[in-house]
Amino acid sequence: MKRIYFILIISLVVTQIKTNAQGCVAIKGTAGVCSRPSDAKGWDLNLNTRYFKSYKHFIGTEEQKERTDSATNVINHAYELDITATRTINSRWSVAMTVPILSFARSSKYETLW
């Protein structure tokens, strides 16, 4: 038991180390599978959607407003749609199938083609 407490304390200390972002657009995707009540029967259709637009630039905590004012900023668009069909077999088992539909676009004044 002492060993478990020791590992837990060490894990908590190690996870408290300061980290820095790598400069990418951080966005969490949608989650299409949801829980259902144990007495649910038949089919369930679930639609999740999310739209995200990022256009601001930062160095650390300082926003570079001149990039937006001069229209030299990069604009990212992310659209996500998850379609999930769930079939309940019994009170303990269900089967789900998710179809993700994703669209990502990036634009800027000085877009380069590679």
Side-chain angles (χ1 to χ4, degrees), residues 7 24 40 54 62 69 114:
I7 291 171
C24 63
S54 95
E62 299 293 321
D69 296 338
W114 296 95

Side-chain angles (χ1 to χ4, degrees), residues 28 61 66 69:
K28 183 181 184 288
T61 58
E66 66 277 359
D69 296 338

Side-chain angles (χ1 to χ4, degrees), residues 27-33 45-52 78-84 98-104:
I27 181 170
K28 183 181 184 288
T30 59
V33 179
L45 181 66
N46 186 16
L47 301 173
N48 289 312
T49 184
R50 181 175 187 155
Y51 174 74
F52 178 77
Y79 175 76
E80 302 175 41
L81 171 66
D82 285 344
I83 303 170
T84 302
T98 301
V99 177
I101 300 170
L102 309 169
S103 173
F104 300 100

